[in-house]
Amino acid sequence: MKTLIKKASAFAIAGLASVGLMTTSPVTEAAGERIVFISHAPDSDSWWNTIKNAIKDASEHLGVTVEYRNPPSGDLTDMARIVEQAVASNPQGIVLSIADYDVLKGPVEKATRKLIPVITMNSGTHAQSEQLGALLHVGQPEYDAGFGAGKKAKEAGVTNFLCVNHYITNPASVERCQGFADALGIELGNQMIDSGSDPTDVEKKVAAYLRQNSNTQAVLTLGPTSAEPTLRAVDKMGLGGKIFFATFDLSEEIATGIKDGVINFAIDQQPYLQGYLPVMALTLYNRYGVIPANHINSGPGFITKDNIAMVETLAGEYR
């Protein structure tokens, strides 16, 4: 698999070269190259393992040091402090997720004032990335992804839903629920619950909501942290295959749910790209002064029964 990924990365670099995004000089390591990669993810969020894997691969393939940092509990004030510490260390670049524009604006502006190149990824919008002075944003338009999922639900006859939000302090997670609601043509209100991230709590809150709202036609979860406990709740309540179930992201349990017909689809934002491409872009920028001209949408894609076999063996590592 490592050989496959190395070939893929070589192909990606060759592809950039073919459209004039880099010089024909070979990629060689420059002394002291160091990039700090900062996410909002708590230590408990296993979905980010794919991004960490991509960072490691990019570091090895490109010969650049990449330091991954995150707030252990997911606290965004702590994340802002980590950004400030990174700026003070004068790296050759910073990659970060825009978990909350207002909280991170000040620290990121300190980086741009010091002429430290910044690339944003995952959470946030292209517009927010530009307002922060970043060179590029690699991620999934969250509202559009939620809207796309909602359109599929509407086509299936869904008129109401439960959104299980395990990270409600992140505005991007609310955008997913809002997009789904807008596609159905309904207001987003108390059908979005703050589930927290503890698996037992998530399962209990989902079960309680579905018992109290027995007419609920669909469930939307925002990643494995909420999807996996919700799967258990749905199973115990005998609703597997009876309630429309959509989720963001992929894991082994989600893949099984899709194959079993319990989950209708998973929205794939291709996290490997979100880890690899920012490191590659910063490295090329620092070495050759080149950068892609447009922001990069890594998703959304939809994983269903029809294509799950193609990706399930890579879940948690490359997908």
Side-chain angles (χ1 to χ4, degrees):
M1 184 56 70
K2 290 293 185 183
T3 300
L4 173 63
I5 294 301
K6 288 182 179 179
K7 287 181 178 178
S9 65
F11 176 79
I13 294 174
L16 289 178
S18 69
V19 293
L21 289 176
M22 63 176 285
T23 70
T24 56
S25 303
V27 176
T28 56
E29 183 176 0
E33 281 184 304
R34 182 174 62 90
I35 294 169
V36 181
F37 199 115
I38 307 166
S39 86
H40 61 268
D43 290 342
S44 60
D45 193 340
S46 61
W47 180 82
W48 283 78
N49 289 343
T50 300
I51 288 179
K52 294 175 187 176
N53 186 48
I55 294 169
K56 179 177 179 292
D57 285 347
S59 174
E60 292 176 356
H61 299 166
L62 299 167
V64 60
T65 298
V66 185
E67 300 172 359
Y68 177 83
R69 301 179 186 175
N70 68 297
S73 67
D75 181 78
L76 297 185
T77 301
D78 191 19
M79 180 183 178
R81 179 186 57 78
I82 292 171
V83 175
E84 291 186 343
Q85 289 177 341
V87 172
S89 73
N90 295 312
Q92 280 62 59
I94 292 175
V95 181
L96 80 158
S97 56
I98 313 175
D100 189 311
Y101 176 85
D102 293 332
V103 171
L104 298 174
K105 179 181 178 181
V108 176
E109 286 179 345
K110 292 180 181 179
T112 55
R113 283 198 298 269
K114 294 182 71 172
L115 303 182
I116 298 172
V118 174
I119 288 180
T120 58
M121 53 76 66
N122 187 257
S123 294
T125 66
H126 296 170
Q128 289 174 332
S129 180
E130 291 173 4
Q131 290 164 9
L132 290 174
L135 299 171
L136 180 71
H137 182 74
V138 180
Q140 171 179 264
E142 303 293 4
Y143 176 86
D144 293 344
F147 192 89
K151 285 178 63 178
K152 290 183 178 295
K154 186 174 183 179
E155 291 169 0
V158 170
T159 59
N160 62 69
F161 76 112
L162 162 65
C163 184
V164 188
N165 193 333
H166 65 269
Y167 198 7
I168 207 163
T169 57
N170 184 343
S173 67
V174 178
E175 289 178 9
R176 293 176 173 183
C177 302
Q178 185 67 63
F180 197 95
D182 288 351
L184 294 181
I186 61 177
E187 292 187 10
L188 180 65
N190 60 9
Q191 74 271 52
M192 179 177 70
I193 63 171
D194 179 4
S195 68
S197 59
D198 179 82
T200 301
D201 289 344
V202 175
E203 182 180 338
K204 288 180 178 178
K205 290 179 180 179
V206 169
Y209 183 94
L210 293 178
R211 281 195 297 268
Q212 294 167 10
N213 300 273
S214 58
N215 66 331
T216 302
Q217 297 174 320
V219 174
L220 175 68
T221 58
L222 306 187
T225 299
S226 50
E228 292 170 0
T230 297
L231 274 170
R232 291 191 285 276
V234 166
D235 177 64
K236 291 177 182 178
M237 298 180 73
L239 295 175
K242 299 178 182 179
I243 192 169
F244 189 97
F245 194 145
T247 187
F248 280 76
D249 305 327
L250 192 64
S251 70
E252 290 184 11
E253 287 187 46
I254 290 173
T256 299
I258 292 172
K259 289 190 296 182
D260 291 345
V262 178
I263 296 178
N264 294 71
F265 58 81
I267 302 162
D268 182 21
Q269 58 179 306
Q270 300 188 95
Y272 191 89
L273 293 180
Q274 294 180 11
Y276 198 103
L277 292 182
V279 175
M280 183 175 74
L282 272 180
T283 301
L284 295 177
Y285 180 76
N286 285 327
R287 292 176 184 176
Y288 311 121
V290 295
I291 195 81
N294 297 309
H295 301 293
I296 300 173
N297 287 341
S298 65
F302 293 90
I303 301 173
T304 66
K305 262 189 174 183
D306 294 334
N307 60 8
I308 185 63
M310 297 171 56
V311 299
E312 66 173 325
T313 58
L314 305 176
E317 190 172 8
Y318 298 106
R319 295 298 299 265

